[in-house]
Structures are given as structure tokens and as C-alpha cells.
Amino acid sequence: MGQKVELACIIDDDKIYVNLVKKIIEIKKLSKNLLIFKNGMEAFDHFKLILENASEEKLPDIIFLDINMPVMDGWEFLNEFIKIKNNFEKKITLYVVSSSIDPRDLERAKSFNLVTDYLIKPIELKKFEKIFDRNGHAAA
């Protein structure tokens, strides 16, 4: 499997999880580049800057968003991101990733149109590869 996704993004404060996912992406060559933010505010500030500078090529093809983070959690990020997303022409696929199995979190995530799916940690390698494969073909 070659690299199919140009730029992936992880928004998560769990260093162990982030390092594991980063290694998988590198070893399996799932994405050429990777953006990592430790909370929603860091990520949102980055996306706002891209919007201000009209440099959409720096937008990720795919985002993996945790919901439980300090500073700005995943829900707050979604509420803010939804306000600026329509200003981007690039299609961004967003997955909510959480260790929470609470059905209320699942329903809440699905209430956002921009959320493609709700993934429960840890993500199985095969599912991860499928997600990148599907999104890489869509971006190509």
C-alpha cells in the first residue's frame, strides 16, 4: 500500500496514543505528512491562520479528533470549526476518536454533519488502513 493521503491530522492530548498512531502512519506509509495538535484550540488557531492566508493546500485531508482534551475539547472544536469549514473548498474528512463508549457521545458526534464516523480507541490496524485507503482515493 502506497501513501494515499497527502496530509493527516491528529488532535489529541494522549501522548501514548498519538505516538502509536504516528508510528502506524509512518510504518504503513498511510500519509505523506502529519499534523499533530494537543488540543482543539491549537488546531483551531492553525485552521484560522490557513483561512486568513488562503493557503488551503496546508489543510489536512483527514482529521482524527479526540473529544476529551484540556483547553478546548473536541465538542468545542467542532462547534467552532463548523463556523469556518464552509470557507474552505477542500473536502476534509473528520473522525471523532474516543475511548468513551457512552452512547450519548456517539449520538452527539453523529449530530454534527461534518463528522464522518465515531471511532472507539484503540482503533484496529485494518480499520485504520481502510479509512486511509478510502480517503486517499477520494482525495486523489
Side-chain angles (χ1 to χ4, degrees), residues 95-107:
Y95 291 90
V96 169
V97 183
S98 177
S99 52
S100 170
I101 55 168
D102 188 333
R104 290 173 295 187
D105 287 335
L106 179 67
E107 286 306 310

Side-chain angles (χ1 to χ4, degrees), residues 44 51 76-88 114:
F44 184 70
L51 186 62
E76 293 168 318
F77 174 83
L78 284 169
N79 283 325
E80 293 304 312
F81 190 65
I82 218 166
K83 296 174 190 170
I84 64 168
K85 187 186 179 297
N86 289 337
N87 295 317
F88 299 126
L114 67 147

Side-chain angles (χ1 to χ4, degrees), residues 78-131:
L78 284 169
N79 283 325
E80 293 304 312
F81 190 65
I82 218 166
K83 296 174 190 170
I84 64 168
K85 187 186 179 297
N86 289 337
N87 295 317
F88 299 126
E89 287 184 25
K90 184 172 184 176
K91 181 183 179 294
I92 301 171
T93 306
L94 191 147
Y95 291 90
V96 169
V97 183
S98 177
S99 52
S100 170
I101 55 168
D102 188 333
R104 290 173 295 187
D105 287 335
L106 179 67
E107 286 306 310
R108 189 173 177 188
K110 287 188 173 182
S111 73
F112 289 90
N113 285 338
L114 67 147
V115 173
T116 300
D117 202 357
Y118 184 94
L119 308 171
I120 296 170
K121 290 180 187 174
I123 306 170
E124 292 173 28
L125 180 59
K126 284 198 183 283
K127 187 165 190 167
F128 213 56
E129 287 178 320
K130 272 187 183 174
I131 288 169

Side-chain angles (χ1 to χ4, degrees), residues 41-55:
M41 183 62 80
E42 274 187 10
F44 184 70
D45 286 346
H46 178 80
F47 295 133
K48 267 196 331 193
L49 197 63
I50 287 174
L51 186 62
E52 288 167 10
N53 294 320
S55 52

Side-chain angles (χ1 to χ4, degrees), residues 9-75:
C9 176
I10 300 169
I11 307 170
D12 199 313
D13 67 322
D14 182 345
K15 287 181 185 172
I16 294 168
Y17 168 78
V18 169
N19 283 333
L20 178 69
V21 171
K22 188 177 165 188
K23 280 284 177 211
I24 290 170
I25 289 171
E26 286 171 5
I27 291 168
K28 294 289 184 177
K29 297 183 174 151
L30 299 173
S31 177
K32 282 186 183 174
N33 297 296
L34 184 63
L35 287 173
I36 298 171
F37 301 101
K38 60 180 183 275
N39 64 63
M41 183 62 80
E42 274 187 10
F44 184 70
D45 286 346
H46 178 80
F47 295 133
K48 267 196 331 193
L49 197 63
I50 287 174
L51 186 62
E52 288 167 10
N53 294 320
S55 52
E56 285 201 22
E57 71 279 358
K58 294 177 184 171
L59 286 171
D61 302 297
I62 183 167
I63 296 175
F64 295 96
L65 174 69
D66 186 21
I67 53 175
N68 295 312
M69 296 177 284
V71 187
M72 177 188 271
D73 67 24
W75 304 124

